Amino acid sequence: MKIVILDGYTENPGDLSWEALAACGELTVYDRTPNDTAEIVRRIGDAEVVITNKCPIGREVIDACPKLGYIAVLATGYNVVDVQYAAEKGIPVSNVPAYGTASVGQFAIALLLEICAHVAHHSEAVHEGRWESATDWTFWDYPLIELAGKTMGIIGFGRIGRTTGRIARALGMRVLATGSRETDAGREIAEYTDLDTLLHESDVIALHCPLFPETKGIINRDTIAKMKDGVILINNSRGPLIVEQDLADALNCGKIAAAGLDVVSAEPIRGDNPLLSAKNCLITPHISWAPKEARQRILDCTVQNVRSFMEGAPVNVVNAKETLNKSPLTS
């Protein structure tokens, strides 16, 4: 069986091993494949199994690769694949449903703590000699924020949202949650509430919801107006959850005190993104998912996905009839 990985570099820049996948068949790995239909088709060739992360596999590609029998996505989101058409052609598409719960929750708090303590900035100031030459025994350039006693509102309270909530509770915060089905596990961490109450009462708002039509642009001029003055916004979920110009305006006028973002609407970020010039906006390049431990889980799950397909019983299939109407908008 021929297996092709179209864009393996971000999953494995050299610190993991493809050996387990190579044991499943004749494996070809491309670090990157351009978004060009003809080249994608050429690289797939007569492979029966294709593995992709962000390289798109649409109708034209599927039609041009008649031996293609299975598509595995090295991610949770799978919008890069035309899953509906793949289903029509009898091609199962599998994803990795849960791999970054710990790492993404950890990174959300890292963004928040950097905003509150400005650790990197003050370390750089010390290395520049500013402490050595200071008049006083200490200095700080920004107001420092203590989180204990403050309220974090989490929009989307699934596995990752609950992880972030547990850490927030450990920091002494009250936690509100909305946007997910209430569970006993969730009630142990947070108070479930409606969106308007969460917006009104939260000192920090963290986004951990998937991108569906109803959540696209959930942070916008109108919802921002309902927030406390000086709120902090964290998003390491999906960039299009935010109307970016509205967030930039709110940062520049001080309605939102600061934002910590690991995702934006178009990635890599474009030079004209209004958040690049907004005040107090911390942006990292979509790395919440990327600790080695999390990437190893992606690889392990993908290997199991491929093996299950080869055994005739594919798992984590996202284009079965019961799941097709629940496709997320981004990966």
Side-chain angles (χ1 to χ4, degrees):
M1 180 172 289
K2 291 186 177 181
I3 304 169
V4 171
I5 301 175
L6 291 172
D7 52 349
Y9 183 81
T10 52
E11 160 65 15
N12 178 16
D15 56 351
L16 303 177
S17 172
W18 297 118
E19 288 184 6
L21 273 173
C24 296
E26 181 185 331
L27 179 66
T28 301
V29 180
Y30 296 99
D31 281 347
R32 301 171 182 87
T33 293
N35 186 1
D36 176 80
T37 297
E39 183 61 15
I40 294 169
V41 169
R42 187 190 72 79
R43 292 189 176 189
I44 293 174
D46 59 353
E48 295 135 292
V49 173
V50 172
I51 300 172
T52 184
N53 190 327
K54 298 295 182 286
C55 186
I57 301 178
R59 179 182 293 254
E60 289 182 65
V61 171
I62 293 171
D63 282 341
C65 300
K67 288 196 174 181
L68 179 59
Y70 180 68
I71 301 169
V73 183
L74 289 163
T76 300
Y78 44 88
N79 73 296
V80 295
V81 180
D82 188 334
V83 293
Q84 179 76 54
Y85 192 63
E88 293 174 13
K89 291 292 186 176
I91 301 171
V93 180
S94 292
N95 73 338
V96 181
Y99 67 89
T101 302
S103 62
V104 177
Q106 171 184 302
F107 202 89
I109 297 297
L111 290 169
L112 176 59
L113 292 177
E114 181 60 28
I115 288 170
C116 292
H118 301 279
V119 173
H121 166 81
H122 287 104
S123 175
E124 289 172 3
V126 170
H127 285 88
E128 290 167 357
R130 290 183 55 200
W131 196 12
E132 180 183 359
S133 60
T135 302
D136 302 308
W137 61 273
T138 184
F139 71 91
W140 55 92
D141 288 341
Y142 298 92
L144 305 180
I145 300 170
E146 182 176 271
L147 292 170
K150 292 184 170 57
T151 298
M152 173 181 279
I154 301 177
I155 300 175
F157 210 54
R159 286 182 294 261
I160 295 172
R162 292 195 298 271
T163 296
T164 299
R166 289 188 192 96
I167 303 172
R169 282 282 299 271
L171 292 170
M173 301 185 76
R174 173 194 179 209
V175 180
L176 301 178
T178 193
S180 297
R181 180 176 58 85
E182 294 190 23
T183 64
D184 291 340
R187 293 187 193 95
E188 292 177 0
I189 302 164
E191 305 165 38
Y192 284 95
T193 187
D194 60 90
L195 179 60
D196 281 357
T197 300
L198 183 147
L199 295 172
H200 179 73
E201 296 188 9
S202 297
D203 301 292
V204 177
I205 295 173
L207 303 181
H208 285 307
C209 51
L211 180 62
F212 289 118
E214 62 268 25
T215 59
K216 185 177 182 180
I218 194 171
I219 302 301
N220 56 58
R221 187 179 304 276
D222 293 336
T223 53
I224 289 170
K226 298 176 182 179
M227 297 178 189
K228 284 185 177 183
D229 291 345
V231 68
I232 296 170
L233 179 68
I234 303 295
N235 184 22
N236 60 335
S237 182
R238 297 289 182 253
L241 296 171
I242 295 173
V243 178
E244 291 173 333
Q245 186 61 62
D246 292 354
L247 173 57
D249 293 343
L251 287 163
N252 289 331
C253 75
K255 171 66 177 180
I256 294 180
L261 312 174
D262 187 47
V263 290
V264 292
S265 59
E267 297 172 348
I269 195 169
R270 296 173 181 166
D272 61 354
N273 189 305
L275 295 170
L276 285 171
S277 57
K279 295 179 181 178
N280 300 322
C281 190
L282 181 68
I283 306 174
T284 52
H286 202 149
I287 55 175
S288 297
W289 70 282
K292 183 178 180 181
E293 295 87 349
R295 289 183 290 109
Q296 184 66 60
R297 286 191 288 273
I298 293 173
L299 183 53
D300 292 344
C301 183
T302 301
V303 170
Q304 187 56 52
N305 285 347
V306 171
R307 287 174 177 166
S308 297
F309 165 72
M310 293 172 65
E311 293 166 358
V315 296
N316 298 318
V317 175
V318 298
N319 62 338
K321 290 182 180 179
E322 62 271 19
T323 57
L324 274 174
N325 293 328
K326 301 178 181 179
S327 301
L329 298 180
T330 194
S331 58

